[in-house]
Amino acid sequence: MQSIVEAVRAEGDAAVLRYSAQFDGWTGGDLEVTQAEIDEAVRAIDPALLAALERAAEQIRWFHERARSADWREERAGAVLGVRFRPLRRVGVYVPGGLGAYPSTLLMTVLPARVAGVGEIILCTPPGHLSPVILAAAAVAGGADRILRIGGAQAIAAMAYGTAAVPRCDKIVGPGNQYVALAKQAVAAEGACGIDGLAGPTEVAIIADDTADPRLVAADLVAQAEHDALAGCLLITPSSDLAERVQVALKEEVEETLHADRVRAAFDGQGAIALVADLAQAVEVADAYAAEHLEVQTADAVAVAEQVRSAGAIFVGPNSPVALGDYCAGPNHTLPTSGTARFTGGLRTDDFVVPVNWVEYQRDALAALAPVVDALAEAENLPAHSRAVRARLEDRP
């Protein structure tokens, strides 16, 4: 991976094209998708699918418009203090290929960037997976400014450093395989650009008591395992009876699902049922696991969910499955994994703006705090700091 990043940094588009041929088998011409191709994609997809994309986009846009940070300034003791928020100039969005096309990822990344007012959005996706539904989703989301047929580590490097075909981006968001994740880590580590985070395999934890429907619990565990053979699936319950009934329901659900082999691999590798003494202990286990997705299916789901501290997103009650959040509930489905929900959250509109602190002091307000500066400057042996304040307070002829 590191050799790919370095090659793209040094050679630009020549390296991008070479690796696209090597890894994606793509030897086409222009890296950039044309508007005519996007228009054709919108016409080509099923009208019902287009309507679903539009409804999902409406719900996601509604949520992120209301999650924006707002500028504020306030006068206090002769000083004006506050924060102003300015959108990033250019953001790179990566939409993965792999097991299929993911229009939901496009909606979840492009829409909050648009809502935040990002100046330019560059979208990269592997050429072998550039399906009409991806292009249609881009159109529904308000359009990426440019769409490029580039995947893998070479796409991340191109957006981080810039090439003739790909402009340099201030931040890169979106999930991908381990090579994409490592490339994001590499370019962020040297300050080439910001990133949204490093996503690991997807995961779900479900807190459920004996009031839960075992069929719904089983269906939700299977839905998560369907993503990836490395998906984590954890049921946390104080009810041994529910645990047994869920296991029976799982057998039926797995037998009927399309991706049964993938689901079984996830359950065998990362599936577990944690029997706990009570719901209080269930919350402790959930906080320790800090799942990307946490469902609460209990008698008083709201009360239990309110106690949880660490989760990427909480799905409260029997009618709030993770699958809804994956596509169209509104909040972002780009969420922290691998326990990182302990200290970070999901992708938000705020991730596409930069907060700039505002400091505006009048002379009297500066004089009031000058002794504080004097004392701290002396403690830190930085006398010029004190001088910078005192020089402003001296009487001048």
Side-chain angles (χ1 to χ4, degrees):
M1 185 284 305
Q2 190 64 42
S3 62
I4 296 174
V5 170
E6 291 301 328
V8 171
R9 184 180 189 180
E11 304 173 43
D13 291 337
V16 170
L17 290 165
R18 185 169 69 251
Y19 289 120
S20 292
Q22 180 179 344
F23 297 120
D24 297 314
W26 185 75
T27 56
D30 196 349
L31 289 172
E32 188 165 356
V33 175
T34 66
Q35 186 60 48
E37 289 177 280
I38 297 172
D39 294 341
E40 176 57 31
V42 172
R43 290 191 294 269
I45 69 169
D46 187 320
L49 176 55
L50 181 61
L53 288 171
E54 291 170 340
R55 180 66 182 88
E58 177 190 7
Q59 188 74 6
I60 295 163
R61 186 182 292 109
W62 178 90
F63 179 87
H64 285 278
E65 284 175 346
R66 283 151 183 78
R68 284 185 292 187
S69 295
D71 291 6
W72 69 271
R73 292 182 196 173
E74 184 175 337
E75 184 174 349
R76 185 174 191 270
V80 178
L81 304 172
V83 181
R84 69 177 192 180
F85 294 84
R86 293 295 179 266
L88 297 172
R89 291 169 296 177
R90 184 183 293 124
V91 166
V93 170
Y94 187 80
V95 176
L99 297 175
Y102 300 101
S104 60
T105 294
L106 190 150
L107 295 179
M108 295 287 182
T109 48
V110 171
L111 279 168
R114 280 282 175 228
V115 168
V118 169
E120 187 177 11
I121 299 173
I122 308 301
L123 190 151
C124 285
T125 192
H129 302 276
L130 193 58
S131 68
V133 69
I134 292 293
L135 298 184
V140 166
D145 293 282
R146 298 177 64 183
I147 303 176
L148 297 129
R149 314 169 219 264
I150 312 172
Q154 61 268 29
I156 302 303
M159 289 189 284
Y161 300 118
T163 70
V166 186
R168 183 177 183 182
C169 298
D170 298 317
K171 190 169 190 175
I172 299 172
V173 302
N177 61 21
Q178 61 179 330
Y179 301 106
V180 168
L182 289 171
K184 288 171 69 176
Q185 184 179 40
V187 298
E190 64 174 48
C193 65
I195 61 172
D196 52 348
L198 301 173
T202 190
E203 59 205 17
V204 67
I206 302 176
I207 296 177
D209 61 14
D210 54 12
T211 67
D213 185 332
R215 295 178 304 107
L216 300 184
V217 174
D220 291 348
L221 291 169
V222 169
Q224 202 64 33
E226 180 180 45
H227 278 289
D228 191 336
L230 296 177
C233 302
L234 173 63
L235 170 60
I236 309 168
T237 180
S239 171
S240 58
D241 179 61
L242 177 72
E244 292 175 2
R245 289 186 292 151
V246 168
Q247 290 182 80
V248 172
L250 277 173
K251 292 180 181 178
E252 297 176 0
E253 292 288 336
V254 173
E255 287 177 0
E256 295 177 4
T257 195
L258 176 63
H259 304 295
D261 290 343
R262 191 186 307 162
V263 171
R264 290 191 185 96
F267 287 162
D268 290 344
Q270 301 80 227
I273 297 177
L275 282 174
V276 294
D278 50 32
L279 289 175
Q281 189 178 41
V283 170
E284 292 179 8
V285 172
D287 278 339
Y289 188 50
E292 176 188 18
H293 310 93
L294 174 68
E295 290 188 0
V296 180
Q297 298 187 37
T298 62
D300 191 347
V302 172
V304 174
E306 291 281 9
Q307 299 174 51
V308 175
R309 297 178 63 90
S310 301
I314 304 177
F315 298 80
V316 185
N319 296 312
S320 306
V322 169
L324 186 69
D326 283 346
Y327 293 129
C328 56
N332 214 287
H333 78 191
T334 303
L335 299 167
T337 60
S338 306
T340 58
R342 291 180 297 107
F343 53 81
T344 191
L347 192 66
R348 301 179 300 152
T349 315
D350 284 359
D351 292 304
F352 297 98
V353 298
V354 176
V356 181
N357 293 332
W358 185 278
V359 181
E360 182 185 353
Y361 271 69
Q362 300 303 318
R363 194 172 191 272
D364 289 348
L366 176 65
L369 287 181
V372 177
V373 176
D374 290 341
L376 293 175
E378 182 179 359
E380 296 184 358
N381 192 28
L382 297 171
H385 281 60
S386 179
R387 170 61 185 160
V389 171
R390 290 296 174 181
R392 288 167 167 79
L393 303 176
E394 293 173 351
D395 291 329
R396 297 177 183 176

